Amino acid sequence: MSAFDCVIVGGGIVGAALADVLSADGVSVALVEARSIGAGTTACGMGHLVAMDDNAAELALTSWSVSLWRELADGLPRTVEYDACGTLWLAADDEEMAAVSAKVANYRAAGVRVEVLDSAALYEAEPALAPGLVGALRVVDDAVLYPPLAARTFALRAQARGARLMTGCPVRELRPGSVVLSNGDVLTARHIVLAAGVASPSLCPGLPISPRKGHLLITRRGAPVVHHQLVELGYLKSAHGTDGASVAFNAQPRVTGQLLLGSSRQPGDATREVDAALLERMLKRAAMFLPGLDGLQALRVWTGLRPATPDGLPLLGPHPEKPWLWLACGHEGLGITTATGSARLVADQLLGRTSAIDARPYSPARFLTASSRETAHA
């Protein structure tokens, strides 16, 4: 048996970020991953670092996390492709533009830098957009990066401080004080953190996490020149709806000269196959905003599974009925953004420190106590 202060199960970007934070605090850590670091949902994501304001808890966690990424930016390798391009939320009509004022108030109250662009300013910033858009909201400090190498960077920094990276090590069982690997080896630890994304319920039955399938496409070089991450304001309806398949326009410039295009959502779908009809819908939607995409060649199309919770917020903190188990999962499409903040929140709770934001909105107890389950079924 091998003994550690903390064993983290799941080597995606959240688990790797937590290993980085804990190892920096002198905690002995093992990071256990069934495949390779960042090879699961992390490898399938867009890599956006975005402050989102669907509710106060989401805005608190995402805005703090984006600021933590910004602090890390100068120390990230070039291969992580961190690009502080900002985000433009595009308004297709006056009704969507009217909604911008509420977003401006939310963001500014949280200390997030934003600018409102009228139509003329929008087309000066992004000439390749289709005509007819009425304006946009620019979130200045949003960024993009390449998630698998960001996760690997966190893991290697932890390893350099003495953390043990255990890749290709599926976990069979979680027990009080120990993690049993599929080969029978046992790791003992005072604290066990489950950060296995969509696989988390298989190791801890009853977690309120379900898959949401999504499609992404990356173009060959030669795509229309885009300077910001572009997102239609209609994306918010798609991202937070729960019924049926949906698509929305989201385009991300890459430092390679390519464009990464999304997005789609298929709640409850755990298959990995590309849905050709849904992909066609997604691309037609994208061409409505970027007409220069017509005829452009795709380099690759893939799908991924987002680990969704019923209220759209992650599970960050102790399991209320298993005091030896901590949770860092259920981030849906914001795991890349919130990896930094999630790691800090969980580490602060483990080490008895006060966090920069209130951890209570993300507490697993909101779903996993007897009273919360009774409320959910009432």
Side-chain angles (χ1 to χ4, degrees), residues 46 215-217 235 248-252 260-264 282 286:
M46 287 194 82
H215 291 69
L216 291 175
L217 179 150
Y235 172 89
F249 171 62
N250 189 345
Q252 191 181 95
L260 185 57
L261 299 176
S263 64
S264 70
M282 187 182 86

Side-chain angles (χ1 to χ4, degrees), residues 183-346:
N183 65 2
D185 288 352
V186 178
L187 310 176
T188 63
R190 180 182 176 191
H191 301 296
I192 297 167
V193 180
L194 181 56
V198 291
S200 295
S202 66
L203 292 170
C204 183
L207 292 186
I209 293 175
S210 61
R212 283 193 180 181
K213 179 177 175 179
H215 291 69
L216 291 175
L217 179 150
I218 192 160
T219 69
R220 294 188 180 276
R221 291 177 176 84
V225 175
V226 167
H227 305 285
H228 301 76
Q229 178 171 219
L230 304 176
V231 191
E232 63 166 306
L233 279 163
Y235 172 89
L236 296 174
K237 301 171 187 174
S238 168
H240 300 289
T242 56
D243 299 325
S246 60
V247 300
F249 171 62
N250 189 345
Q252 191 181 95
R254 306 304 305 186
V255 297
T256 55
Q258 299 163 284
L259 279 180
L260 185 57
L261 299 176
S263 64
S264 70
R265 275 176 167 73
Q266 292 170 275
D269 189 338
T271 65
R272 301 279 182 172
E273 294 77 19
V274 170
D275 182 328
L278 193 64
L279 178 64
E280 183 179 9
R281 281 177 56 193
M282 187 182 86
L283 295 178
K284 284 183 176 179
R285 187 74 184 173
M288 290 172 59
F289 289 86
L290 279 177
L293 291 173
D294 285 342
L296 190 69
Q297 288 187 319
L299 180 64
R300 187 165 73 94
V301 176
W302 67 96
T303 66
L305 302 178
R306 308 175 182 95
T309 64
D311 63 2
L313 297 174
L315 306 174
L316 301 174
H319 192 301
E321 296 176 348
K322 299 178 180 180
W324 48 273
L325 179 63
W326 295 71
L327 302 175
C329 47
H331 292 78
E332 199 181 335
L334 289 171
I336 311 302
T337 292
T338 62
T340 49
S342 295
R344 294 287 187 95
L345 277 181
V346 174

Side-chain angles (χ1 to χ4, degrees), residues 6-66:
C6 181
V7 173
I8 301 167
V9 178
I13 197 164
V14 174
L18 180 58
D20 182 36
V21 171
L22 288 176
S23 64
D25 285 317
V27 177
S28 67
V29 174
L31 179 61
V32 183
E33 166 56 38
R35 299 165 64 189
S36 57
I37 298 298
T41 296
T42 295
C44 300
M46 287 194 82
H48 48 215
L49 309 178
V50 288
M52 298 282 285
D53 69 328
D54 186 57
N55 55 63
E58 181 183 75
L59 180 56
L61 182 57
T62 57
S63 61
W64 182 40
S65 298
V66 169

